[in-house]
């Protein structure tokens, strides 16, 4: 009986200690935060606190930058009413409007080309890919169009054109190098920084990142100086993000931070974590998305809860802003995905769109099967645009990081295995 009571007291003690791990925030703390997606996240946290009053909720909701489903649900639970529809659209320049217009027109032309390829009307498709190349402004979209001109003509001059014109690092530039037996572009940079941290910047604090982004977005911002302000190992994500912006993305930064957190992981797992982190957050530990995906690996709160429960841990959501925790949770999640998916492209699809989405996609009758223009056709005709482009970029990152980690790797062999289910997944 004594032992039973003792264990009950111990359990209550630890449960109490665990509950203390959940942070609480005051109205004044939230109020002074700069308007940003990061502040929106903390408003969501504030609305869910039992101590927050309905009147406080009605006041703080006016400071939201952009409302989302989580905020609307939390506000209604607290006040019994729907929140006001608050959306603060950023200032859009005339140049941005023109760029978007070109992209929309280019996408229309390119997608028509893909549709014609599916119908085996290759000569007409070729015309649309040429037109898309002329209309697109972004280098990777031009590379994509030229690559499809090559696929339809088998004329390697288009691969050499990609190599000569493009400094962008993407799936098409790597494939152009593979198919012409060339080295990968020299614009891939991995900076080596000695300074360990910046006294004035806490890389795990989303509000510090929000304040830096505000500085970066100012019309006359000195991006080179701002990059120098956060040049350290701890803030390398901020540093390389700003550096890339400063050179208009003519250089591609592939940092390799937090090496100690991955000690003991196989090279393939390290490369995959790096590949996903670069795409998700550019290695900014305190990243917050508009849907409140959190941290360097951009975990949704429900997934943080699930993994923490599976690991028998209770953590505050803010703990995921610590790189070592984000990497630990990513490793756990990738263990699960790798039970069913063996190819980094399919793992990327699942990380972005969910394993159910990926299973449904790759089991479709005409997807990732041997055939003309496969697997490139399957990779381009996906209706989920976000997952489609995300997958291509993570796969590209993966190949680069495999090489950075000392394992000589080319992209083309990974592309060729996509139509071989025994090497890609457990679902087919």
């Amino acid at each position: 009986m004594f032992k039973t009571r003792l264990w009950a007291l111990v359990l209550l003690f630890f449960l109490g200690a665990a509950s203390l791990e959940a942070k609480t925030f005051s109205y004044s703390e939230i109020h002074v935060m700069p308007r940003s997606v990061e502040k929106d996240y903390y408003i969501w946290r504030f609305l869910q606190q039992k101590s927050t009053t309905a009147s406080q909720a009605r006041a703080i909701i006016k400071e939201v930058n952009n409302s989302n489903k989580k905020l609307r649900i939390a506000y209604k639970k607290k006040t019994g009413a729907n929140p006001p529809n608050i959306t603060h659209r950023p200032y859009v320049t005339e140049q941005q409007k023109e760029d978007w217009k070109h992209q929309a027109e280019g996408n229309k032309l390119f997608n028509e080309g893909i549709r014609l390829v599916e119908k085996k009307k290759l000569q007409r498709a070729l015309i649309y890919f040429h037109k898309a190349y002329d209309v697109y402004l972004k280098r990777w979209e031009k590379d994509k169009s030229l690559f499809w001109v090559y696929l339809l003509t088998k004329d390697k001059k288009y691969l050499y054109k990609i190599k000569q014109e493009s400094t962008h690092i993407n799936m098409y530039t790597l494939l152009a190098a593979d198919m012409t037996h060339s080295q990968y572009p020299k614009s891939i940079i991995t900076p080596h920084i000695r300074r360990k941290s910046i006294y004035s910047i806490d890389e795990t604090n989303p509000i510090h990142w929000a304040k830096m982004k505000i500085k970066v977005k100012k019309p006359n911002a000195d991006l080179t100086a701002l990059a120098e302000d956060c040049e350290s190992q701890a803030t390398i994500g901020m540093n390389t993000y700003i550096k890339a912006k400063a050179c208009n993305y003519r250089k591609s930064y592939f940092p390799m931070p937090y090496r100690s957190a991955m000690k003991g992981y196989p090279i393939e797992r390290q490369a995959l974590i790096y590949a996903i982190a670069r795409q998700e957050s550019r290695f900014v530990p305190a990243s917050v998305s508009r849907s409140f995906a959190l941290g360097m690996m951009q975990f949704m709160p429900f997934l943080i809860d699930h993994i923490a429960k599976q690991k028998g841990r209770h953590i505050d959501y803010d703990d995921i802003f610590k790189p070592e925790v984000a990497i630990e949770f990513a490793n756990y999640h990738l263990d699960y995905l790798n039970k069913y998916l063996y190819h980094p492209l399919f793992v990327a699809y699942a990380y972005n769109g969910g394993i159910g989405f990926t299973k449904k996609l790759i089991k479709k009758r005409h997807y990732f099967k041997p055939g003309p223009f496969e697997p490139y056709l399957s990779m381009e005709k996906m209706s989920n645009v976000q997952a489609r482009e995300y997958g291509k970029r993570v796969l590209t990152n993966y190949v680069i990081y495999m090489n950075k980690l000392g394992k000589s790797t080319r992209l083309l062999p990974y592309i060729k295995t996509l139509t071989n289910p025994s090497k890609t997944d457990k679902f087919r």
Side-chain angles (χ1 to χ4, degrees), residues 84-148:
N85 188 14
I86 301 170
T87 301
H88 292 271
R89 300 190 183 278
Y91 174 73
V92 178
T93 66
E94 290 302 316
Q95 184 60 53
Q96 286 174 317
K97 291 178 183 178
E98 188 66 21
D99 290 350
W100 293 339
K101 183 180 177 181
H102 275 268
Q103 187 174 41
E105 181 61 24
N107 286 343
K108 185 178 178 181
L109 292 165
F110 182 85
N111 292 337
E112 179 62 15
I114 293 295
R115 190 184 71 82
L116 290 167
V117 170
E118 289 186 89
K119 290 179 172 288
K120 299 185 172 67
K121 297 179 179 180
L122 304 187
Q123 289 305 311
R124 286 189 62 197
L126 195 58
I127 293 169
Y128 280 91
F129 292 136
H130 275 295
K131 287 182 177 179
Y133 170 81
D134 290 336
V135 170
Y136 277 136
L137 297 178
K138 291 182 179 178
R139 187 62 245 179
W140 71 268
E141 291 173 322
K142 284 183 172 291
D143 296 338
K144 174 177 70 172
S145 304
L146 282 177
F147 185 77
W148 271 91

Side-chain angles (χ1 to χ4, degrees), residues 272-338:
L272 190 53
I273 290 174
Y274 275 144
I276 292 171
R278 185 180 187 275
Q279 187 57 36
E280 289 286 358
S281 68
R282 295 282 174 159
F283 296 101
V284 175
S287 290
V288 178
S289 79
R290 287 184 62 172
S291 58
F292 302 156
L294 306 176
M296 189 173 78
M297 304 303 297
Q298 290 288 274
F299 279 108
M300 294 298 289
F302 77 86
L303 187 55
I304 297 173
D305 291 338
H306 173 74
I307 294 175
K309 184 177 180 181
Q310 292 293 310
K311 293 174 74 67
R313 287 172 59 182
H314 179 91
I315 69 169
D316 186 89
Y317 289 145
D318 275 17
D319 290 337
I320 210 72
F321 298 131
K322 300 172 185 174
E324 63 275 12
V325 176
I327 289 169
E328 177 195 348
F329 274 47
N331 186 55
Y332 186 92
H333 185 48
L334 290 171
D335 278 343
Y336 166 71
L337 296 181
N338 280 154

